[in-house]
Amino acid sequence: MPTRRRAALVTLVSAVLTLGPPGLAAHALGTPGPAASADVYVAPGGDDHADGSARHPVRTLDRARDLVRARVAGLRADLTVHLAPGTYRRTGPLVLDARDSGANGHRVIWQGTGDSVISGGLRVAGWHRAPGRKGLWAAPAPRGLTDTRQLYVDGVRAQRARGAVPVTLTQTATGYTASSDALAHWKHPEDAEFVYTSGEALWNVERNGLGQWTEPRCPIASADGTTVTMAQPCWDNSNKRVEFPDIPGRTVSMVGPGRLTNGGKPSYVENAYELLDQPGEWYLDKSDHTVYYLPRKGEDLGRADVEAAAAEKLIDGRGTADAPVHDLTFRGIRFSYATWLTPSRPEGFSEIQAGYTITGDRGWATQGLCQYVPGGTCPFASWTKMPGNVSFAHDQRVEFTDDVFAHLGASGLELGAGSVDSSVRGSVFTDVSGNGLEIGGVDGQTPASGVRVTDNHLYGLPREYHGGVGILNGYTQHTTIAHNQIDHVAYSAISMGWGGWPDKIGDPATPNPSHDNVVRDNLVFDYMQLLDDGGGVYTQGLTGTSLTDGEKVTGNVIHDQWGLGKSVYTDNGCTYETVEGNVLYRASYANVASRHTDYRDGLGNNDPTLIKDNWWEEGTADGDNKGLVTSGNKIMTGLSDVPPDVLANAGLEPAYRHLLTLRVGGVSVPEAPARVGTSTAGADALYVTFNPTFADGGSPVTGYTARAYDPAGRQVAQQSVDAAEFKRDALLRIGGLPEGGGPFTVTVTASNDRGTSAPSLASAPLSPTAASALPAAPTSPKLRTAATAATLAWTPPTGTGDAKIVGYRVTVSDGRDPIAVTGRDVLVTQPSAKGMFRVIGGLKPGTAYTVTVAAVTAAGTSPAATVSGTTTAG
């Protein structure tokens, strides 16, 4: 580099490091003080032969690490590695161990500017129009890119080419027999993988996974004629899970079914050249080293920054029990463009729960099955955790502050076995393929302890492995998860604990080292937007040895659940949990549940649980149900019933609320909606429901449009709905369909101020009919009363006639107008016959009321169920 240019670069780097650019790090850190002489400076345009001073920065993180190792022993102050703005590209992880730790009571600080990016991406350039395909562009794969699962255009994740399976499949022992040889004629059928989305079997939406909370994936090994052979061991691990011989249908894992449901039918197929048909889709042809992409409207590939995620780890902190990595801080850094290739290999993604999978040859027969099968590996339920693109194990006092984890292909950050007194604060997690943040594990290794996760914003995830969660906490001690905001997530927001499933067969939960964990003052909303059977805070297994050291879930505000589940879900074996002082509303099925028998003795009691002083809609009365204690909870009719300081205290603290406006990545159209289902709405109309997108493209979704198509593929009708209206009612009606026509399929698009998404995958075909049979009346009505409000609870009718329930009509004996009950829980509670509840406000103390509830369908209103009760004296 010429002397003048180098001097100019050094001057610029020094100025930036002194003043800091506007952004995440500058906001949080202010102006740094004088640098210690031991500090190391790094810049993308530096020189690894330089001395690492402010005037002569080095270029790579590895060289900076080596300089730190040479200087750390004699520390007399914190040593800072200053990262200038720009991109630090990695082909593999920056490996850190005990030698890279702080010393003499001082820390090593890796200090970014907010615009310092550690990237595992390779830039894709040389774009040109692909011959023979209108609108399709191609570019040579960059050197070193052998495979990837993620491509980003100007900071926006592109969709791997996907579509409906073009053949009918019949499951076999090794895969499928297809109705035609269409797959065998694809360029590379061995690149493709089948995706099995689960969730509730709502209307004509299929349940295809390994439990309502899962979305497993298995690659195709080969397609020869009509024989489709699936990759091993993924196929067997997803279809041969061991069942108890004397308990039909009960797997020894006790989590989900023993094989893929619905005859193994995939929901869709992904990653094939032949599926490139929507803007925003891409495909990597590994054999001819070519990347194909269909640009979205307004994208200019001649100018765009197109990044293919290549490295599988960005930072790998490899401490050991005897030599932990310790006293490190990572501040003001963006971690981006890493991938995870295991799901593309024969291992696939045979999901159990929350991104844990069954792996290895014959994993289905032994992995994590411990005492229940000969040769079972222990401890029970110790399956394989999804890795973190940034990961640490056996670390002490490692801090991540004011960082961004985005555009990542596995979990964002993993603080694994032996993490002690480490922390994550003031950071953003978004556009991550799997779990946002993972703490500890369930494999019997040293538990994490003293980890603090505070004031972070996690949203718009998981983008690929939709059974993942915002924060995954395994077996840990003294962990605090507080003041975070988690919103717009596909499944549960926070998942705690593990190993409680043996209570399904009358055995106690698996012993584990967890105790003294706290989940407090978090704000959670718009969760479970794709899958079901989860919660805002989900807990599994033993949480301590008593209510004193058991898990505390306190002061959280949790609202607007989309799928079937609970606000706070105490699942199998959840023992010694305290749920206190939370604000819980707009959930389906329950605010706090469920009750489970405590099998540690033969007394027939329930798992000891305290549910106290919450504001909720569930309305369960005070009592002690054999150790399940409910006390002092208040029925809320609206947020005005909750003290303002309780609401204001949940979520990000004032010093961190700037994270909510921090822009991460580019802005684009939303991701397409999912799981479109239809039901008859008369002779010429269909009701439509779907899972709205939780990835809005960086701009809020404003509306949705459903389009109906006849068997020839012609559009015959469409209907739009405002996003807020759809969130309230969870359905729209498409009328004007040709009577006697059909069957019709429906696709749905989402819109924001940048435009309209690609269409969803089509619904199953359905012909509308003039439904006439009414459902039976709802069952088991109950009125749970307070002084001025009551919770009406009921169970959906056992028979729904020839039209599906789209709402309920509630009448109150005080003469008020009937109350229309609509929403997603109206729809998702039907297949499982789960109970429902709604709050009735404006009642008078000490007054008797009679309430009726009837189901509403396209054919009319069902007979009503009636219940009476008297409000308390107040």
Side-chain angles (χ1 to χ4, degrees):
M1 178 183 294
T3 303
R4 184 174 298 175
R5 288 181 58 198
R6 178 174 294 174
L9 172 65
V10 169
T11 301
L12 174 62
V13 169
S14 299
V16 169
L17 291 171
T18 301
L19 299 176
L24 184 64
H27 179 103
L29 300 173
T31 303
S37 59
D39 283 3
V40 176
Y41 290 79
V42 196
D47 183 348
D48 275 356
H49 296 291
D51 60 8
S53 63
R55 294 184 60 83
H56 301 96
V58 298
R59 182 177 61 84
T60 66
L61 305 182
D62 303 84
R63 179 58 179 156
R65 176 202 59 196
D66 294 343
L67 290 175
V68 169
R69 286 180 178 177
R71 303 175 186 186
V72 73
L75 284 186
R76 296 295 179 265
D78 290 348
L79 188 161
T80 300
V81 180
H82 300 269
L83 305 182
T87 299
Y88 300 84
R89 295 189 182 271
R90 309 290 310 173
T91 58
L94 173 66
V95 177
L96 302 173
D97 57 32
R99 296 171 293 173
D100 307 303
S101 304
N104 306 320
H106 302 293
R107 306 184 66 80
V108 174
I109 301 170
W110 291 76
Q111 174 70 67
T113 65
D115 292 319
S116 307
V117 181
I118 299 179
S119 169
L122 294 173
R123 189 165 187 178
V124 184
W127 290 97
H128 57 276
R129 295 184 183 275
R133 290 285 301 271
K134 183 179 180 181
L136 185 65
W137 287 67
R143 173 179 286 186
L145 183 68
T146 57
D147 199 2
T148 185
R149 295 180 65 88
Q150 292 85 30
L151 188 78
Y152 302 86
V153 180
D154 286 333
V156 176
R157 181 180 291 234
Q159 170 63 56
R160 286 210 307 173
R162 69 172 183 173
V165 180
V167 293
T168 300
L169 298 172
T170 302
Q171 190 172 3
T172 67
T174 58
Y176 300 95
T177 299
S179 58
S180 78
D181 63 354
L183 292 177
H185 292 288
W186 282 6
K187 289 179 66 175
H188 301 291
E190 70 280 2
D191 285 351
E193 65 189 33
F194 288 152
V195 183
Y196 306 86
T197 302
S198 196
E200 288 296 326
L202 172 64
W203 288 2
N204 60 359
V205 178
E206 297 169 342
R207 178 193 295 173
N208 293 331
L210 287 161
Q212 296 95 305
W213 54 93
T214 66
E215 191 180 65
R217 295 164 169 262
C218 276
I220 295 174
S222 65
D224 182 8
T226 60
T227 299
V228 179
T229 302
M230 300 299 291
Q232 295 287 13
C234 186
W235 187 246
D236 282 353
N237 286 339
S238 303
N239 286 290
K240 286 188 175 181
R241 297 181 181 181
V242 181
E243 297 182 356
F244 287 106
D246 54 345
I247 311 176
R250 172 66 71 202
T251 57
V252 176
S253 72
M254 302 175 222
V255 188
R259 60 187 297 134
L260 293 165
T261 54
N262 195 23
K265 182 178 180 181
S267 303
Y268 59 93
V269 59
E270 190 172 278
N271 199 41
Y273 176 85
E274 289 74 12
L275 300 173
L276 284 165
D277 61 357
Q278 297 296 331
E281 289 188 334
W282 67 278
Y283 170 71
L284 169 63
D285 190 322
K286 293 179 289 186
S287 66
D288 68 8
H289 308 287
T290 301
V291 181
Y292 295 94
Y293 180 64
L294 272 172
R296 300 179 178 98
K297 184 178 179 180
E299 289 178 334
D300 181 355
L301 294 182
R303 298 183 179 183
D305 175 24
V306 182
E307 300 281 344
E312 295 193 68
K313 275 192 186 293
L314 300 176
I315 295 183
D316 192 1
R318 299 177 183 175
T320 67
D322 295 330
V325 57
H326 59 87
D327 296 296
L328 291 174
T329 296
F330 298 87
R331 185 184 295 161
I333 300 172
R334 296 195 178 209
F335 301 96
S336 293
Y337 303 129
T339 191
W340 177 43
L341 296 177
T342 296
S344 295
R345 296 168 181 148
E347 195 75 70
F349 189 74
S350 181
E351 189 171 25
I352 282 279
Q353 184 169 320
Y356 278 89
T357 56
I358 295 180
T359 57
D361 294 338
R362 292 185 58 80
W364 57 273
T366 60
Q367 190 174 20
L369 302 185
C370 201
Q371 72 271 26
Y372 291 108
V373 299
T377 61
C378 294
F380 173 74
S382 58
W383 297 294
T384 302
K385 183 172 61 174
M386 180 186 300
N389 289 134
V390 177
S391 67
F392 277 80
H394 293 289
D395 53 281
Q396 297 179 3
R397 298 177 300 281
V398 172
E399 299 178 353
F400 288 87
T401 304
D402 306 316
D403 299 310
V404 173
F405 298 83
H407 315 323
L408 297 173
S411 292
L413 171 62
E414 176 186 5
L415 297 175
S419 291
V420 176
D421 296 336
S422 292
S423 64
V424 186
R425 183 176 72 249
S427 296
V428 171
F429 294 76
T430 189
D431 191 20
V432 178
S433 286
N435 299 315
L437 167 64
E438 297 178 338
I439 311 167
V442 298
D443 54 5
Q445 296 189 33
T446 307
S449 178
V451 174
R452 294 183 59 82
V453 180
T454 57
D455 287 295
N456 303 286
H457 187 201
L458 302 97
Y459 68 98
L461 58 87
R463 293 294 301 274
E464 189 172 359
Y465 311 107
H466 293 126
V469 301
I471 299 175
L472 177 66
N473 183 86
Y475 294 148
T476 68
Q477 303 167 356
H478 299 285
T479 294
T480 298
I481 300 172
H483 286 294
N484 303 285
Q485 178 169 314
I486 307 175
D487 61 271
H488 295 89
V489 290
Y491 180 52
S492 297
I494 301 172
S495 182
M496 305 284 291
W498 204 248
W501 296 288
D503 80 359
K504 293 181 177 181
I505 60 168
D507 284 356
T510 304
N512 72 76
S514 294
H515 61 79
D516 291 290
N517 295 318
V518 174
V519 181
R520 63 172 175 84
D521 305 320
N522 300 285
L523 175 60
V524 174
F525 61 93
D526 288 331
Y527 59 101
M528 292 175 61
Q529 288 197 241
L530 183 61
L531 298 179
D532 294 285
D533 200 4
V537 177
Y538 171 94
T539 303
Q540 248 273 355
L542 295 164
T543 74
T545 62
S546 67
L547 283 172
T548 301
D549 72 355
E551 182 178 302
K552 307 295 189 297
V553 179
T554 64
N556 303 284
V557 175
I558 304 174
H559 65 90
D560 286 289
Q561 174 185 297
W562 190 255
L564 179 63
K566 299 98 176 178
S567 308
V568 178
Y569 192 162
T570 55
D571 204 2
N572 296 99
C574 180
T575 305
Y576 298 128
E577 179 162 327
T578 298
V579 183
E580 182 175 2
N582 303 282
V583 181
L584 312 171
Y585 61 100
R586 288 204 286 270
S588 62
Y589 184 29
N591 288 135
V592 184
S594 300
R595 180 201 66 78
H596 292 281
T597 300
D598 186 350
Y599 289 105
R600 295 174 301 162
D601 54 42
L603 301 178
N605 293 320
N606 293 320
D607 291 325
T609 306
L610 177 61
I611 305 170
K612 179 183 178 183
D613 295 336
N614 300 284
W615 290 266
W616 65 356
E617 296 174 325
E618 185 173 335
T620 302
D622 289 359
D624 183 346
N625 182 8
K626 299 180 180 180
L628 174 59
V629 177
T630 307
S631 173
N633 301 289
K634 296 163 280 291
I635 297 175
M636 58 179 289
T637 59
L639 293 181
S640 60
D641 295 336
V642 182
D645 61 321
V646 174
L647 297 173
N649 189 54
L652 300 175
E653 295 177 282
Y656 295 94
R657 289 177 186 165
H658 66 281
L659 297 180
L660 301 179
T661 59
L662 179 70
R663 179 170 169 176
V664 177
V667 180
S668 185
V669 299
E671 188 174 281
R675 305 196 78 232
V676 180
T678 56
S679 174
T680 188
D684 66 344
L686 291 173
Y687 285 119
V688 181
T689 191
F690 52 90
N691 288 80
T693 178
F694 56 91
D696 61 13
S699 179
V701 174
T702 55
Y704 299 96
T705 299
R707 295 174 175 84
Y709 298 88
D710 66 14
R714 295 182 294 261
Q715 181 178 321
V716 293
Q718 75 176 53
Q719 182 64 49
S720 297
V721 62
D722 178 79
E725 181 182 346
F726 183 77
K727 184 175 183 180
R728 182 182 67 248
D729 296 336
L731 61 95
L732 57 79
R733 184 179 184 274
I734 299 182
L737 299 174
E739 289 194 40
F744 302 104
T745 57
V746 175
T747 65
V748 182
T749 56
S751 298
N752 62 11
D753 63 5
R754 290 302 179 101
T756 300
S757 74
S760 67
L761 297 172
S763 69
L766 182 67
S767 296
T769 59
S772 58
L774 295 176
T779 62
S780 305
K782 297 179 178 63
L783 200 63
R784 304 163 180 164
T785 59
T788 61
T791 296
L792 173 66
W794 70 92
T795 302
T798 54
T800 59
D802 55 359
K804 303 296 184 182
I805 296 170
V806 296
Y808 290 91
R809 179 184 175 94
V810 174
T811 60
V812 185
S813 59
D814 59 7
R816 70 181 68 190
D817 290 339
I819 301 169
V821 178
T822 59
R824 184 66 166 187
D825 52 343
V826 170
L827 311 180
V828 300
T829 53
Q830 291 177 57
S832 301
K834 300 292 188 183
M836 293 191 61
F837 57 90
R838 280 297 186 278
V839 172
I840 302 170
L843 304 180
K844 297 179 179 179
T847 303
Y849 291 90
T850 297
V851 179
T852 67
V853 56
V856 178
T857 74
T861 302
S862 78
T866 303
V867 63
S868 298
T870 301
T871 55
T872 60

